[in-house]
Amino acid sequence: GGNSGWRREGMRCRSGPAPLDSTISAEKACTGGDLNMYLLPCRPKPMPDELFSSWLIRLGNTYCMQFCDFLQMLGLTQHLHNSDIDRIASASLVRSVCKVTGTDPIAGRATSLTHQMSVLHNDRLRIDTPEWPWLIPIGRSHRSGATAGFQFCPLCLSSSEPYFRWQWRTAFVCCCPAHRVLLIDRCPECRASIHASAQGLWGLRDDPRMEYLIRMERCRRCQFDLRHTLAVVANDSLVQRQEALIQKLESAEKGTGAIAADHFAVLRHIVSLIVGQNLALERFRQVIADRSGLSRVDVPLPYEPDAEILHFEELTVCSRALALEAAIWLTEEWPTRFVDCARASKVTYPALNRNAISVRWFNEVVMAAYAWHEIDTEASSPQDAGRRKPVRSVRRLREKGTATG
């Protein structure tokens, strides 16, 4: 390991004979030692939707270097961290890599999860959600003990230049829109999580079997070629609903950030109602399954023997796909389906608002549905007339949703 490894390799660029260390020495002499002012002789640009660490690995592979050595060579050791570099990569690190590779800063910034998922990371959810909603965690969860890793599409990895997409870290992305197949989150050979470590792809540098050419298309544990994994066709409704979510996320950069943030916060809250370990929601989930025709997610209930309590982001691809489709089905024809299912299941207000969500248009519907439930379940009383006002509010919300939908 260390710098001696790449020196032994001779450090020649794949497309040119000049050793990289001598090229850098010459550039440093011309620029007064400012490492951010020179261009590398071979400069692979980020691929469409590529993850930042994936881009760094390909850059390091160009010079037969592990990318921790690559960053150290560039004088960027202050950015080295033993954690998820895709989540914590600073803007200055991304800019520095863009400078030495001649990459458009906008294209470089697009590789960062912090940039891509800024709309999803907000304070609208306050209880029973992970620090980064919608972000698939890497490594072992302190909460559940489960080990999560990357998702991948074997057909995408079979391209001439395999790389990992940032969308594969997003929990609502369960299928590949290009090939219309379900993503995969386990090695089919050894059932290990894909590149699972607290450092994500960054952790591949510590695997002695990877040597200096890091193979992202190989399983970290058994070295199985992930490109040979059998792909399963995704259903059309899942593909279409996922594409709509991705379009909404991408449109957030065009001035609709607050609207998109509200939408994703509500959707994440509804997902938690579907997969949350709460006995009070059991009837609610069954009503949704019966009316939507979608299969139920097998959710372990609290206090069951050996129950594994997981966040939505830690579930398998198939479980997340089922929960996501059910949640999106509820938001369609808003708020009719949600209110009708809440009313039919007689779910209580505390269960419906378990995340203390702070989105006004959603809270209005929840309050109205709760009042509607009270009218149906309580005996007639002189106060009934006053309680019927929220029902009119539900009708107005239905008409408003129809007019704006």
Side-chain angles (χ1 to χ4, degrees):
N3 293 339
S4 60
W6 56 262
R7 289 198 181 97
R8 288 195 301 271
E9 293 288 337
M11 285 317 306
R12 294 182 180 274
C13 173
R14 289 180 182 176
S15 60
L20 183 60
D21 49 1
S22 63
T23 302
I24 290 176
S25 298
E27 292 286 355
K28 286 173 67 178
C30 295
T31 60
D34 186 354
L35 290 176
N36 289 331
M37 294 300 292
Y38 72 88
L39 290 175
L40 293 171
C42 296
R43 304 183 292 273
K45 300 297 188 291
M47 304 293 280
D49 301 327
E50 185 167 15
L51 196 63
F52 183 60
S53 60
S54 174
W55 181 31
L56 288 181
I57 286 175
R58 290 196 305 108
L59 281 168
N61 283 351
T62 300
Y63 300 102
C64 298
M65 298 175 66
Q66 292 189 1
F67 71 90
C68 54
D69 293 335
F70 178 76
L71 292 180
Q72 187 172 7
M73 176 199 67
L74 298 179
L76 299 174
T77 53
Q78 69 272 26
H79 298 285
L80 299 180
H81 302 280
N82 287 322
S83 60
D84 187 354
I85 195 171
D86 291 306
R87 185 170 64 85
I88 67 170
S90 64
S92 61
L93 172 59
V94 177
R95 285 195 302 268
S96 297
V97 177
C98 287
K99 285 181 181 180
V100 298
T101 57
T103 300
D104 183 345
I106 295 177
R109 188 168 63 249
T111 65
S112 170
L113 282 178
T114 304
H115 171 74
Q116 295 289 0
M117 303 189 70
S118 59
V119 171
L120 307 179
H121 181 51
N122 54 66
D123 59 355
R124 289 166 172 82
L125 296 171
R126 297 190 292 274
I127 299 175
D128 198 29
T129 53
E131 180 184 0
W132 279 71
W134 299 112
L135 178 65
I136 296 176
I138 295 299
R140 183 168 294 277
S141 169
H142 296 293
R143 177 176 181 265
S144 65
T147 301
F150 283 83
Q151 306 178 104
F152 72 95
C153 168
L155 301 177
C156 288
L157 288 183
S158 298
S159 64
S160 57
E161 186 71 59
Y163 67 95
F164 274 70
R165 281 72 169 164
W166 69 263
Q167 291 96 332
W168 294 351
R169 288 288 305 274
T170 310
F172 65 74
V173 175
C174 304
C175 61
C176 174
H179 299 106
R180 305 179 78 84
V181 297
L182 286 175
L183 296 180
I184 299 165
D185 57 2
R186 296 276 172 179
C187 171
E189 188 72 12
C190 69
R191 304 306 299 165
S193 299
I194 304 302
H195 305 321
S197 74
Q199 298 84 37
L201 292 178
W202 172 254
L204 293 179
R205 76 195 194 283
D206 296 325
D207 194 329
R209 291 166 295 183
M210 295 293 181
E211 298 180 348
Y212 295 102
L213 185 63
I214 294 178
R215 304 291 297 274
M216 291 181 284
E217 72 276 15
R218 298 274 182 178
C219 171
R220 188 168 186 261
R221 176 186 290 178
C222 70
Q223 298 300 300
F224 176 79
D225 192 334
L226 301 174
R227 295 172 294 185
H228 297 158
T229 307
L230 179 66
V232 178
V233 176
N235 65 66
D236 291 337
S237 63
L238 175 63
V239 175
Q240 293 168 4
R241 284 164 169 162
Q242 179 182 290
E243 286 178 340
L245 289 178
I246 293 175
Q247 290 173 5
K248 188 178 290 291
L249 183 61
E250 292 175 345
S251 69
E253 294 187 10
K254 303 175 182 178
T256 60
I259 297 174
D262 285 350
H263 177 83
F264 281 107
V266 169
L267 186 63
R268 178 59 182 80
H269 171 70
I270 294 177
V271 162
S272 74
L273 301 181
I274 295 171
V275 302
Q277 292 76 22
N278 190 328
L279 288 171
L281 293 168
E282 273 298 283
R283 176 60 182 162
F284 182 62
R285 290 189 277 254
Q286 189 58 52
V287 169
I288 294 171
D290 293 342
R291 298 194 177 190
S292 67
L294 298 168
S295 300
R296 278 194 55 172
V297 182
D298 185 17
V299 179
L301 297 176
Y303 316 117
E304 284 186 345
D306 302 321
E308 188 175 27
I309 310 301
L310 301 175
H311 282 308
F312 169 75
E313 291 78 6
E314 298 171 310
L315 298 177
T316 65
V317 172
C318 292
S319 294
R320 281 188 286 108
L322 289 174
L324 189 65
E325 282 211 87
I328 295 175
W329 179 84
L330 274 178
T331 62
E332 294 168 349
E333 299 181 17
W334 185 263
T336 303
R337 288 178 177 175
F338 184 87
V339 171
D340 286 350
C341 287
R343 184 186 185 193
S345 60
K346 296 180 172 57
V347 63
T348 62
Y349 172 75
L352 281 181
N353 199 33
R354 64 197 302 265
N355 284 317
I357 184 171
S358 57
V359 175
R360 181 176 178 181
W361 55 264
F362 175 80
N363 287 330
E364 288 176 348
V365 170
V366 172
M367 289 298 293
Y370 178 62
W372 203 347
H373 162 65
E374 289 294 296
I375 292 170
D376 290 343
T377 56
E378 290 193 3
S380 300
S381 67
Q383 289 77 22
D384 281 351
R387 289 176 177 162
R388 292 187 182 275
K389 292 180 182 179
V391 179
R392 292 196 295 272
S393 298
V394 172
R395 291 170 182 161
R396 286 198 298 271
L397 286 167
R398 282 177 170 171
E399 294 169 359
K400 181 179 178 181
T402 303
T404 59

